[in-house]
């Protein structure tokens, strides 16, 4: 993962100190003890999935920067994780020669993972950013179940009944949406499985 990050950021800066320190910050945040799911493995999965659709991406580097930073700040008790992560990305990327408008695009891609709704229905990059983040919902049931267990670990501070109530509400919200996924390809290939998994999880939470 370090090599992948270095290959990306060195396109936009020769500052060895920034290159090294930015990786240390990424590694330190994503390996915090409170992260059972929102960790480097989650990023690896997103990058792996990205390979299937990267030929459709308008600005691949910016999307990759957004993936790296979208969960950098993660506290299950807070509601501003995406905003703080986006601010952090802007702080680092502003020290590179990445154009201002591309930094702003990265910022907006990160914010899109808060609501998981695309602001611009014509922006495939934004749609795929959201879908990559939610791809776990469409995995086989065994993998999905592990994901559920990891999320429970991240919310360890909540007693069982309270956690189940909140989790059910959150996942029910996805089912009530016209579509979970934003892009046509994800809707076609993954929507049905995601809905089946969520429905099964909710039934088990009851």
């Amino acid at each position: 993962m370090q090599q992948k990050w270095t290959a990306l950021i060195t396109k936009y800066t020769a500052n060895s100190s920034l290159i090294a320190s930015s990786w240390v910050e990424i590694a330190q945040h994503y390996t915090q003890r409170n992260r059972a799911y929102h960790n480097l493995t989650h990023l690896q999965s997103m990058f792996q999935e990205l390979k299937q659709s990267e030929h459709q991406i308008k600005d691949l580097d910016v999307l990759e920067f957004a993936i790296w930073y979208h969960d950098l700040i993660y506290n299950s008790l807070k509601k501003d994780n995406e905003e703080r992560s986006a601010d952090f990305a802007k702080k680092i990327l502003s020290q590179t020669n990445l154009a201002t408008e591309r930094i702003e695009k990265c910022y907006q891609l990160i914010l899109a993972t808060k609501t998981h709704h695309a602001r611009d229905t014509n922006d495939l990059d934004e749609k795929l950013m959201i879908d990559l983040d939610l791809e776990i919902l469409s995995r086989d049931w065994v993998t999905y179940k592990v994901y559920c267990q990891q999320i429970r670990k991240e919310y360890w501070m909540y007693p069982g009944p309270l956690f189940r109530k909140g989790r059910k509400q959150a996942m029910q919200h996805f089912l009530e949406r016209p579509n979970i996924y934003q892009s046509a390809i994800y809707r076609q290939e993954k929507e049905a499985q995601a809905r089946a998994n969520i429905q099964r999880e909710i039934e088990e939470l009851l």
Side-chain angles (χ1 to χ4, degrees):
M1 290 291 276
Q2 182 176 1
Q3 290 180 339
K4 185 172 182 64
W5 169 252
T6 301
L8 177 62
I9 195 172
T10 51
K11 294 181 183 181
Y12 303 98
T13 182
N15 185 334
S16 58
S17 177
L18 177 63
I19 294 168
S21 64
S22 60
W23 167 252
V24 169
E25 289 171 327
I26 287 172
Q28 287 179 340
H29 280 84
Y30 282 103
T31 57
Q32 291 170 337
R33 292 181 62 186
N34 65 311
R35 296 172 182 252
Y37 175 73
H38 293 90
N39 50 34
L40 289 175
T41 301
H42 172 48
L43 300 192
Q44 285 180 314
S45 295
M46 290 181 70
F47 283 123
Q48 185 65 33
E49 186 68 20
L50 176 61
K51 292 179 182 179
Q52 311 301 318
S53 52
E54 62 182 17
H55 62 283
Q56 304 177 61
I57 303 298
K58 182 179 180 180
D59 194 333
L60 183 59
D61 285 354
V62 165
L63 183 62
E64 288 195 353
F65 275 125
I67 290 173
W68 279 110
Y69 281 110
H70 82 287
D71 281 330
L72 188 89
I73 306 300
Y74 181 75
N75 183 332
S76 56
L77 296 175
K78 301 291 186 180
K79 305 225 179 254
D80 61 349
N81 293 316
E82 291 81 7
E83 290 87 349
R84 293 174 64 201
S85 295
D87 287 339
F88 200 104
K90 182 177 287 189
K91 181 188 73 171
I92 298 300
L93 297 179
S94 294
Q95 300 175 59
T96 72
N97 60 19
L98 189 66
T100 302
E101 61 270 21
R102 296 177 77 192
I103 295 175
E104 179 61 27
K105 179 61 180 179
C106 178
Y107 188 91
Q108 294 301 328
L109 288 176
I110 294 171
L111 291 186
T113 64
K114 184 180 182 72
T115 63
H116 293 111
H117 276 292
R119 296 181 311 125
D120 184 348
T121 56
N122 295 316
D123 188 344
L124 184 58
D125 288 13
E126 185 176 0
K127 290 181 178 180
L128 286 173
M129 178 68 191
I130 294 168
D131 290 352
L132 291 168
D133 195 32
L134 295 179
E135 192 271 336
I136 184 66
L137 301 179
S138 67
R139 296 290 186 90
D140 63 271
W141 176 250
V142 173
T143 303
Y144 184 91
K145 187 71 172 178
V146 171
Y147 151 73
C148 294
Q149 293 167 349
Q150 291 169 335
I151 294 298
R152 179 65 181 108
K153 288 179 181 178
E154 291 186 345
Y155 286 84
W156 61 269
M157 69 293 295
Y158 292 101
L162 189 59
F163 171 79
R164 289 193 294 273
K165 179 181 178 181
R167 178 69 178 174
K168 179 185 174 184
Q169 290 176 343
M171 301 315 288
Q172 185 67 43
H173 177 69
F174 279 114
L175 292 183
E176 292 171 355
R177 289 165 48 162
N179 299 101
I180 295 172
Y181 292 115
Q182 305 292 296
S183 65
I185 187 66
Y186 270 71
R187 289 176 180 175
Q188 179 181 347
E189 296 184 357
K190 299 178 182 292
E191 181 88 14
Q193 182 64 48
R195 287 185 174 275
N197 284 338
I198 293 171
Q199 184 62 52
R200 184 171 176 179
E201 180 192 359
I202 289 174
E203 291 171 358
E204 292 195 358
L205 285 170
L206 297 177

